[in-house]
mmCIF file of all heavy atoms in Angstrom:
data_model
loop_
_atom_site.group_PDB
_atom_site.id
_atom_site.type_symbol
_atom_site.label_atom_id
_atom_site.label_comp_id
_atom_site.label_asym_id
_atom_site.label_seq_id
_atom_site.Cartn_x
_atom_site.Cartn_y
_atom_site.Cartn_z
ATOM 1 N N TYR Q 1 -14.308 15.435 3.890
ATOM 2 C CA TYR Q 1 -12.854 15.386 3.853
ATOM 3 C C TYR Q 1 -12.352 14.073 4.436
ATOM 4 O O TYR Q 1 -11.464 13.438 3.880
ATOM 5 C CB TYR Q 1 -12.282 16.582 4.610
ATOM 6 C CG TYR Q 1 -10.782 16.647 4.581
ATOM 7 C CD1 TYR Q 1 -10.107 16.982 3.413
ATOM 8 C CD2 TYR Q 1 -10.032 16.377 5.719
ATOM 9 C CE1 TYR Q 1 -8.722 17.046 3.374
ATOM 10 C CE2 TYR Q 1 -8.654 16.444 5.692
ATOM 11 C CZ TYR Q 1 -8.009 16.777 4.522
ATOM 12 O OH TYR Q 1 -6.640 16.831 4.493
ATOM 13 N N HIS Q 2 -12.936 13.635 5.538
ATOM 14 C CA HIS Q 2 -12.533 12.374 6.159
ATOM 15 C C HIS Q 2 -12.865 11.196 5.253
ATOM 16 O O HIS Q 2 -12.086 10.245 5.159
ATOM 17 C CB HIS Q 2 -13.187 12.204 7.533
ATOM 18 C CG HIS Q 2 -12.652 13.139 8.557
ATOM 19 N ND1 HIS Q 2 -11.424 12.972 9.155
ATOM 20 C CD2 HIS Q 2 -13.159 14.282 9.072
ATOM 21 C CE1 HIS Q 2 -11.207 13.954 10.004
ATOM 22 N NE2 HIS Q 2 -12.248 14.759 9.975
ATOM 23 N N LEU Q 3 -13.991 11.250 4.586
ATOM 24 C CA LEU Q 3 -14.342 10.189 3.646
ATOM 25 C C LEU Q 3 -13.355 10.135 2.486
ATOM 26 O O LEU Q 3 -12.965 9.051 2.031
ATOM 27 C CB LEU Q 3 -15.765 10.388 3.114
ATOM 28 C CG LEU Q 3 -16.889 10.104 4.089
ATOM 29 C CD1 LEU Q 3 -18.233 10.511 3.479
ATOM 30 C CD2 LEU Q 3 -16.911 8.635 4.471
ATOM 31 N N GLU Q 4 -12.940 11.296 2.011
ATOM 32 C CA GLU Q 4 -11.961 11.341 0.923
ATOM 33 C C GLU Q 4 -10.620 10.774 1.371
ATOM 34 O O GLU Q 4 -9.955 10.070 0.612
ATOM 35 C CB GLU Q 4 -11.788 12.774 0.432
ATOM 36 C CG GLU Q 4 -12.995 13.287 -0.326
ATOM 37 C CD GLU Q 4 -12.938 14.778 -0.605
ATOM 38 O OE1 GLU Q 4 -11.899 15.414 -0.324
ATOM 39 O OE2 GLU Q 4 -13.927 15.313 -1.114
ATOM 40 N N GLN Q 5 -10.219 11.062 2.591
ATOM 41 C CA GLN Q 5 -8.964 10.513 3.104
ATOM 42 C C GLN Q 5 -9.049 8.995 3.226
ATOM 43 O O GLN Q 5 -8.094 8.285 2.888
ATOM 44 C CB GLN Q 5 -8.631 11.108 4.468
ATOM 45 C CG GLN Q 5 -8.102 12.511 4.413
ATOM 46 C CD GLN Q 5 -7.708 13.027 5.783
ATOM 47 O OE1 GLN Q 5 -8.429 12.824 6.760
ATOM 48 N NE2 GLN Q 5 -6.576 13.677 5.854
ATOM 49 N N ALA Q 6 -10.175 8.485 3.711
ATOM 50 C CA ALA Q 6 -10.353 7.038 3.841
ATOM 51 C C ALA Q 6 -10.328 6.367 2.473
ATOM 52 O O ALA Q 6 -9.689 5.321 2.293
ATOM 53 C CB ALA Q 6 -11.665 6.732 4.561
ATOM 54 N N ALA Q 7 -10.994 6.966 1.501
ATOM 55 C CA ALA Q 7 -10.999 6.415 0.147
ATOM 56 C C ALA Q 7 -9.597 6.427 -0.447
ATOM 57 O O ALA Q 7 -9.180 5.464 -1.106
ATOM 58 C CB ALA Q 7 -11.963 7.197 -0.737
ATOM 59 N N ASP Q 8 -8.850 7.492 -0.196
ATOM 60 C CA ASP Q 8 -7.483 7.588 -0.697
ATOM 61 C C ASP Q 8 -6.607 6.499 -0.082
ATOM 62 O O ASP Q 8 -5.803 5.865 -0.784
ATOM 63 C CB ASP Q 8 -6.913 8.967 -0.397
ATOM 64 C CG ASP Q 8 -5.553 9.192 -1.022
ATOM 65 O OD1 ASP Q 8 -5.386 8.839 -2.208
ATOM 66 O OD2 ASP Q 8 -4.671 9.735 -0.344
ATOM 67 N N LEU Q 9 -6.758 6.244 1.204
ATOM 68 C CA LEU Q 9 -5.988 5.192 1.868
ATOM 69 C C LEU Q 9 -6.322 3.826 1.282
ATOM 70 O O LEU Q 9 -5.434 3.022 1.002
ATOM 71 C CB LEU Q 9 -6.244 5.203 3.373
ATOM 72 C CG LEU Q 9 -5.558 4.081 4.161
ATOM 73 C CD1 LEU Q 9 -4.045 4.180 4.040
ATOM 74 C CD2 LEU Q 9 -5.979 4.125 5.613
ATOM 75 N N MET Q 10 -7.609 3.558 1.075
ATOM 76 C CA MET Q 10 -8.011 2.265 0.501
ATOM 77 C C MET Q 10 -7.429 2.075 -0.891
ATOM 78 O O MET Q 10 -6.921 1.001 -1.215
ATOM 79 C CB MET Q 10 -9.536 2.160 0.444
ATOM 80 C CG MET Q 10 -10.169 1.959 1.789
ATOM 81 S SD MET Q 10 -11.934 1.708 1.655
ATOM 82 C CE MET Q 10 -12.531 3.271 2.224
ATOM 83 N N CYS Q 11 -7.489 3.110 -1.706
ATOM 84 C CA CYS Q 11 -6.934 3.031 -3.064
ATOM 85 C C CYS Q 11 -5.425 2.834 -3.022
ATOM 86 O O CYS Q 11 -4.873 2.059 -3.814
ATOM 87 C CB CYS Q 11 -7.293 4.276 -3.859
ATOM 88 S SG CYS Q 11 -9.049 4.393 -4.242
ATOM 89 N N THR Q 12 -4.755 3.505 -2.105
ATOM 90 C CA THR Q 12 -3.307 3.364 -1.969
ATOM 91 C C THR Q 12 -2.935 1.938 -1.595
ATOM 92 O O THR Q 12 -2.000 1.359 -2.157
ATOM 93 C CB THR Q 12 -2.761 4.345 -0.910
ATOM 94 O OG1 THR Q 12 -3.047 5.677 -1.339
ATOM 95 C CG2 THR Q 12 -1.278 4.173 -0.688
ATOM 96 N N ILE Q 13 -3.669 1.354 -0.672
ATOM 97 C CA ILE Q 13 -3.378 -0.019 -0.250
ATOM 98 C C ILE Q 13 -3.622 -0.999 -1.397
ATOM 99 O O ILE Q 13 -2.810 -1.891 -1.651
ATOM 100 C CB ILE Q 13 -4.192 -0.382 1.002
ATOM 101 C CG1 ILE Q 13 -3.641 0.402 2.199
ATOM 102 C CG2 ILE Q 13 -4.151 -1.887 1.270
ATOM 103 C CD1 ILE Q 13 -4.435 0.275 3.466
ATOM 104 N N GLU Q 14 -4.711 -0.823 -2.122
ATOM 105 C CA GLU Q 14 -4.989 -1.721 -3.244
ATOM 106 C C GLU Q 14 -3.959 -1.552 -4.361
ATOM 107 O O GLU Q 14 -3.518 -2.538 -4.956
ATOM 108 C CB GLU Q 14 -6.411 -1.510 -3.767
ATOM 109 C CG GLU Q 14 -7.490 -1.977 -2.810
ATOM 110 C CD GLU Q 14 -7.469 -3.475 -2.510
ATOM 111 O OE1 GLU Q 14 -6.967 -4.267 -3.342
ATOM 112 O OE2 GLU Q 14 -7.955 -3.864 -1.440
ATOM 113 N N LEU Q 15 -3.547 -0.321 -4.659
ATOM 114 C CA LEU Q 15 -2.523 -0.092 -5.676
ATOM 115 C C LEU Q 15 -1.193 -0.699 -5.250
ATOM 116 O O LEU Q 15 -0.497 -1.326 -6.055
ATOM 117 C CB LEU Q 15 -2.354 1.406 -5.938
ATOM 118 C CG LEU Q 15 -1.253 1.784 -6.934
ATOM 119 C CD1 LEU Q 15 -1.552 1.192 -8.311
ATOM 120 C CD2 LEU Q 15 -1.118 3.292 -7.017
ATOM 121 N N THR Q 16 -0.846 -0.549 -3.987
ATOM 122 C CA THR Q 16 0.397 -1.124 -3.482
ATOM 123 C C THR Q 16 0.357 -2.643 -3.558
ATOM 124 O O THR Q 16 1.367 -3.282 -3.871
ATOM 125 C CB THR Q 16 0.656 -0.648 -2.040
ATOM 126 O OG1 THR Q 16 0.650 0.778 -2.020
ATOM 127 C CG2 THR Q 16 1.988 -1.149 -1.517
ATOM 128 N N THR Q 17 -0.807 -3.233 -3.317
ATOM 129 C CA THR Q 17 -0.963 -4.687 -3.462
ATOM 130 C C THR Q 17 -0.630 -5.114 -4.881
ATOM 131 O O THR Q 17 0.121 -6.076 -5.096
ATOM 132 C CB THR Q 17 -2.411 -5.108 -3.128
ATOM 133 O OG1 THR Q 17 -2.701 -4.733 -1.782
ATOM 134 C CG2 THR Q 17 -2.606 -6.601 -3.287
ATOM 135 N N LEU Q 18 -1.176 -4.401 -5.858
ATOM 136 C CA LEU Q 18 -0.905 -4.729 -7.254
ATOM 137 C C LEU Q 18 0.583 -4.588 -7.579
ATOM 138 O O LEU Q 18 1.151 -5.425 -8.296
ATOM 139 C CB LEU Q 18 -1.734 -3.834 -8.180
ATOM 140 C CG LEU Q 18 -3.246 -4.019 -8.109
ATOM 141 C CD1 LEU Q 18 -3.943 -2.962 -8.962
ATOM 142 C CD2 LEU Q 18 -3.635 -5.417 -8.548
ATOM 143 N N LYS Q 19 1.209 -3.546 -7.036
ATOM 144 C CA LYS Q 19 2.633 -3.334 -7.297
ATOM 145 C C LYS Q 19 3.481 -4.437 -6.674
ATOM 146 O O LYS Q 19 4.413 -4.932 -7.302
ATOM 147 C CB LYS Q 19 3.079 -1.963 -6.799
ATOM 148 C CG LYS Q 19 2.508 -0.822 -7.613
ATOM 149 C CD LYS Q 19 3.172 0.518 -7.381
ATOM 150 C CE LYS Q 19 3.143 0.996 -5.981
ATOM 151 N NZ LYS Q 19 3.644 2.378 -5.814
ATOM 152 N N PHE Q 20 3.158 -4.857 -5.446
ATOM 153 C CA PHE Q 20 3.901 -5.944 -4.815
ATOM 154 C C PHE Q 20 3.741 -7.229 -5.611
ATOM 155 O O PHE Q 20 4.714 -7.943 -5.858
ATOM 156 C CB PHE Q 20 3.426 -6.177 -3.372
ATOM 157 C CG PHE Q 20 4.191 -5.411 -2.331
ATOM 158 C CD1 PHE Q 20 3.561 -4.467 -1.548
ATOM 159 C CD2 PHE Q 20 5.540 -5.654 -2.101
ATOM 160 C CE1 PHE Q 20 4.251 -3.764 -0.565
ATOM 161 C CE2 PHE Q 20 6.247 -4.964 -1.122
ATOM 162 C CZ PHE Q 20 5.599 -4.015 -0.360
ATOM 163 N N LYS Q 21 2.520 -7.545 -6.023
ATOM 164 C CA LYS Q 21 2.273 -8.789 -6.766
ATOM 165 C C LYS Q 21 2.970 -8.800 -8.122
ATOM 166 O O LYS Q 21 3.385 -9.861 -8.599
ATOM 167 C CB LYS Q 21 0.774 -9.011 -6.935
ATOM 168 C CG LYS Q 21 0.102 -9.441 -5.644
ATOM 169 C CD LYS Q 21 -1.360 -9.741 -5.867
ATOM 170 C CE LYS Q 21 -1.992 -10.264 -4.594
ATOM 171 N NZ LYS Q 21 -3.411 -10.606 -4.801
ATOM 172 N N ALA Q 22 3.100 -7.637 -8.741
ATOM 173 C CA ALA Q 22 3.752 -7.545 -10.049
ATOM 174 C C ALA Q 22 5.273 -7.411 -9.916
ATOM 175 O O ALA Q 22 5.979 -7.369 -10.922
ATOM 176 C CB ALA Q 22 3.192 -6.356 -10.828
ATOM 177 N N GLY Q 23 5.769 -7.335 -8.692
ATOM 178 C CA GLY Q 23 7.200 -7.171 -8.470
ATOM 179 C C GLY Q 23 7.692 -5.780 -8.818
ATOM 180 O O GLY Q 23 8.860 -5.594 -9.138
ATOM 181 N N GLU Q 24 6.799 -4.798 -8.750
ATOM 182 C CA GLU Q 24 7.142 -3.434 -9.114
ATOM 183 C C GLU Q 24 7.063 -2.470 -7.935
ATOM 184 O O GLU Q 24 6.881 -1.269 -8.116
ATOM 185 C CB GLU Q 24 6.216 -2.953 -10.233
ATOM 186 C CG GLU Q 24 6.340 -3.764 -11.504
ATOM 187 C CD GLU Q 24 5.337 -3.368 -12.562
ATOM 188 O OE1 GLU Q 24 4.487 -2.484 -12.289
ATOM 189 O OE2 GLU Q 24 5.384 -3.948 -13.652
ATOM 190 N N SER Q 25 7.208 -2.991 -6.731
ATOM 191 C CA SER Q 25 7.137 -2.119 -5.556
ATOM 192 C C SER Q 25 8.349 -1.194 -5.534
ATOM 193 O O SER Q 25 9.434 -1.548 -5.985
ATOM 194 C CB SER Q 25 7.068 -2.949 -4.280
ATOM 195 O OG SER Q 25 8.167 -3.820 -4.189
ATOM 196 N N THR Q 26 8.143 -0.011 -4.997
ATOM 197 C CA THR Q 26 9.187 1.008 -4.981
ATOM 198 C C THR Q 26 9.837 1.083 -3.603
ATOM 199 O O THR Q 26 9.355 0.485 -2.630
ATOM 200 C CB THR Q 26 8.591 2.384 -5.319
ATOM 201 O OG1 THR Q 26 7.641 2.726 -4.296
ATOM 202 C CG2 THR Q 26 7.907 2.381 -6.678
ATOM 203 N N ASN Q 27 10.921 1.843 -3.517
ATOM 204 C CA ASN Q 27 11.568 2.056 -2.219
ATOM 205 C C ASN Q 27 10.612 2.732 -1.247
ATOM 206 O O ASN Q 27 10.614 2.430 -0.056
ATOM 207 C CB ASN Q 27 12.833 2.908 -2.384
ATOM 208 C CG ASN Q 27 13.965 2.131 -3.004
ATOM 209 O OD1 ASN Q 27 13.996 0.901 -2.914
ATOM 210 N ND2 ASN Q 27 14.884 2.829 -3.634
ATOM 211 N N THR Q 28 9.792 3.635 -1.757
ATOM 212 C CA THR Q 28 8.814 4.315 -0.902
ATOM 213 C C THR Q 28 7.812 3.317 -0.335
ATOM 214 O O THR Q 28 7.452 3.398 0.846
ATOM 215 C CB THR Q 28 8.081 5.414 -1.689
ATOM 216 O OG1 THR Q 28 9.044 6.314 -2.227
ATOM 217 C CG2 THR Q 28 7.112 6.175 -0.802
ATOM 218 N N ASP Q 29 7.362 2.377 -1.148
ATOM 219 C CA ASP Q 29 6.450 1.339 -0.659
ATOM 220 C C ASP Q 29 7.092 0.558 0.484
ATOM 221 O O ASP Q 29 6.454 0.296 1.506
ATOM 222 C CB ASP Q 29 6.073 0.366 -1.782
ATOM 223 C CG ASP Q 29 5.278 1.022 -2.886
ATOM 224 O OD1 ASP Q 29 4.517 1.958 -2.593
ATOM 225 O OD2 ASP Q 29 5.408 0.585 -4.052
ATOM 226 N N HIS Q 30 8.348 0.209 0.321
ATOM 227 C CA HIS Q 30 9.046 -0.560 1.352
ATOM 228 C C HIS Q 30 9.274 0.272 2.612
ATOM 229 O O HIS Q 30 9.185 -0.250 3.722
ATOM 230 C CB HIS Q 30 10.367 -1.103 0.812
ATOM 231 C CG HIS Q 30 10.173 -2.204 -0.177
ATOM 232 N ND1 HIS Q 30 9.898 -3.499 0.181
ATOM 233 C CD2 HIS Q 30 10.170 -2.182 -1.534
ATOM 234 C CE1 HIS Q 30 9.755 -4.234 -0.897
ATOM 235 N NE2 HIS Q 30 9.906 -3.460 -1.963
ATOM 236 N N LYS Q 31 9.547 1.563 2.452
ATOM 237 C CA LYS Q 31 9.729 2.424 3.624
ATOM 238 C C LYS Q 31 8.416 2.607 4.384
ATOM 239 O O LYS Q 31 8.392 2.649 5.610
ATOM 240 C CB LYS Q 31 10.280 3.787 3.205
ATOM 241 C CG LYS Q 31 11.734 3.750 2.817
ATOM 242 C CD LYS Q 31 12.215 5.120 2.376
ATOM 243 C CE LYS Q 31 13.639 5.056 1.883
ATOM 244 N NZ LYS Q 31 14.101 6.346 1.362
ATOM 245 N N MET Q 32 7.317 2.741 3.647
ATOM 246 C CA MET Q 32 6.017 2.970 4.279
ATOM 247 C C MET Q 32 5.426 1.697 4.882
ATOM 248 O O MET Q 32 4.887 1.709 5.981
ATOM 249 C CB MET Q 32 5.017 3.528 3.264
ATOM 250 C CG MET Q 32 5.220 4.963 2.899
ATOM 251 S SD MET Q 32 4.870 6.086 4.258
ATOM 252 C CE MET Q 32 3.146 5.806 4.519
ATOM 253 N N PHE Q 33 5.499 0.595 4.123
ATOM 254 C CA PHE Q 33 4.758 -0.611 4.492
ATOM 255 C C PHE Q 33 5.624 -1.811 4.856
ATOM 256 O O PHE Q 33 5.120 -2.807 5.345
ATOM 257 C CB PHE Q 33 3.837 -1.020 3.336
ATOM 258 C CG PHE Q 33 2.861 0.043 2.926
ATOM 259 C CD1 PHE Q 33 2.946 0.644 1.679
ATOM 260 C CD2 PHE Q 33 1.843 0.439 3.780
ATOM 261 C CE1 PHE Q 33 2.035 1.618 1.289
ATOM 262 C CE2 PHE Q 33 0.928 1.402 3.400
ATOM 263 C CZ PHE Q 33 1.031 1.993 2.160
ATOM 264 N N GLY Q 34 6.904 -1.764 4.592
ATOM 265 C CA GLY Q 34 7.768 -2.920 4.846
ATOM 266 C C GLY Q 34 7.736 -3.875 3.665
ATOM 267 O O GLY Q 34 7.377 -3.509 2.551
ATOM 268 N N ASP Q 35 8.071 -5.129 3.925
ATOM 269 C CA ASP Q 35 8.062 -6.117 2.849
ATOM 270 C C ASP Q 35 6.637 -6.624 2.609
ATOM 271 O O ASP Q 35 5.689 -6.218 3.279
ATOM 272 C CB ASP Q 35 9.018 -7.271 3.171
ATOM 273 C CG ASP Q 35 8.619 -8.039 4.422
ATOM 274 O OD1 ASP Q 35 7.678 -7.609 5.116
ATOM 275 O OD2 ASP Q 35 9.256 -9.067 4.715
ATOM 276 N N TRP Q 36 6.485 -7.523 1.630
ATOM 277 C CA TRP Q 36 5.159 -8.021 1.241
ATOM 278 C C TRP Q 36 4.439 -8.665 2.423
ATOM 279 O O TRP Q 36 3.265 -8.417 2.669
ATOM 280 C CB TRP Q 36 5.292 -8.996 0.084
ATOM 281 C CG TRP Q 36 4.054 -9.797 -0.173
ATOM 282 C CD1 TRP Q 36 3.922 -11.143 -0.048
ATOM 283 C CD2 TRP Q 36 2.760 -9.318 -0.587
ATOM 284 N NE1 TRP Q 36 2.638 -11.529 -0.351
ATOM 285 C CE2 TRP Q 36 1.906 -10.430 -0.685
ATOM 286 C CE3 TRP Q 36 2.244 -8.056 -0.863
ATOM 287 C CZ2 TRP Q 36 0.571 -10.323 -1.063
ATOM 288 C CZ3 TRP Q 36 0.911 -7.954 -1.241
ATOM 289 C CH2 TRP Q 36 0.093 -9.081 -1.334
ATOM 290 N N ARG Q 37 5.143 -9.495 3.181
ATOM 291 C CA ARG Q 37 4.520 -10.208 4.307
ATOM 292 C C ARG Q 37 3.992 -9.221 5.352
ATOM 293 O O ARG Q 37 2.860 -9.337 5.817
ATOM 294 C CB ARG Q 37 5.540 -11.153 4.927
ATOM 295 C CG ARG Q 37 4.980 -12.003 6.036
ATOM 296 C CD ARG Q 37 6.043 -12.999 6.515
ATOM 297 N NE ARG Q 37 5.521 -13.843 7.563
ATOM 298 C CZ ARG Q 37 5.556 -13.536 8.856
ATOM 299 N NH1 ARG Q 37 6.109 -12.415 9.249
ATOM 300 N NH2 ARG Q 37 5.061 -14.360 9.760
ATOM 301 N N THR Q 38 4.805 -8.256 5.717
ATOM 302 C CA THR Q 38 4.404 -7.255 6.704
ATOM 303 C C THR Q 38 3.237 -6.420 6.189
ATOM 304 O O THR Q 38 2.285 -6.154 6.919
ATOM 305 C CB THR Q 38 5.597 -6.340 7.038
ATOM 306 O OG1 THR Q 38 6.694 -7.152 7.470
ATOM 307 C CG2 THR Q 38 5.249 -5.344 8.114
ATOM 308 N N PHE Q 39 3.322 -6.013 4.940
ATOM 309 C CA PHE Q 39 2.242 -5.232 4.322
ATOM 310 C C PHE Q 39 0.936 -6.017 4.344
ATOM 311 O O PHE Q 39 -0.114 -5.494 4.726
ATOM 312 C CB PHE Q 39 2.618 -4.876 2.880
ATOM 313 C CG PHE Q 39 1.487 -4.295 2.083
ATOM 314 C CD1 PHE Q 39 1.070 -2.996 2.287
ATOM 315 C CD2 PHE Q 39 0.832 -5.060 1.128
ATOM 316 C CE1 PHE Q 39 0.015 -2.458 1.558
ATOM 317 C CE2 PHE Q 39 -0.210 -4.540 0.395
ATOM 318 C CZ PHE Q 39 -0.617 -3.234 0.609
ATOM 319 N N LYS Q 40 1.006 -7.273 3.960
ATOM 320 C CA LYS Q 40 -0.197 -8.102 3.891
ATOM 321 C C LYS Q 40 -0.830 -8.270 5.275
ATOM 322 O O LYS Q 40 -2.045 -8.148 5.428
ATOM 323 C CB LYS Q 40 0.160 -9.459 3.287
ATOM 324 C CG LYS Q 40 -1.033 -10.328 2.980
ATOM 325 C CD LYS Q 40 -0.653 -11.547 2.164
ATOM 326 C CE LYS Q 40 0.216 -12.464 2.941
ATOM 327 N NZ LYS Q 40 0.424 -13.766 2.305
ATOM 328 N N GLN Q 41 0.002 -8.522 6.280
ATOM 329 C CA GLN Q 41 -0.505 -8.716 7.639
ATOM 330 C C GLN Q 41 -1.085 -7.450 8.245
ATOM 331 O O GLN Q 41 -2.154 -7.477 8.852
ATOM 332 C CB GLN Q 41 0.619 -9.190 8.562
ATOM 333 C CG GLN Q 41 0.886 -10.652 8.537
ATOM 334 C CD GLN Q 41 1.969 -10.981 9.537
ATOM 335 O OE1 GLN Q 41 3.106 -10.524 9.406
ATOM 336 N NE2 GLN Q 41 1.630 -11.759 10.525
#
């Protein structure tokens, strides 16, 4: 279960990276991670 949670987090971060780079980030992405600079750091 812990491995599945870790894998899910990694996939979420990589998907969010793609969304930020494509300019398709959502309000939820911004609420969870902040702007691109904050997310990247």
Side-chain angles (χ1 to χ4, degrees):
Y1 182 71
H2 290 284
L3 288 173
E4 289 170 7
Q5 284 183 317
D8 186 45
L9 176 62
M10 287 185 254
C11 291
T12 299
I13 290 173
E14 291 297 335
L15 177 62
T16 305
T17 300
L18 295 174
K19 291 194 302 187
F20 268 117
K21 287 184 176 182
E24 298 175 357
S25 57
T26 63
N27 286 336
T28 304
D29 295 328
H30 289 281
K31 286 179 185 176
M32 285 292 296
F33 302 114
D35 62 353
W36 166 244
R37 184 175 181 272
T38 305
F39 170 75
K40 188 170 66 170
Q41 276 183 297

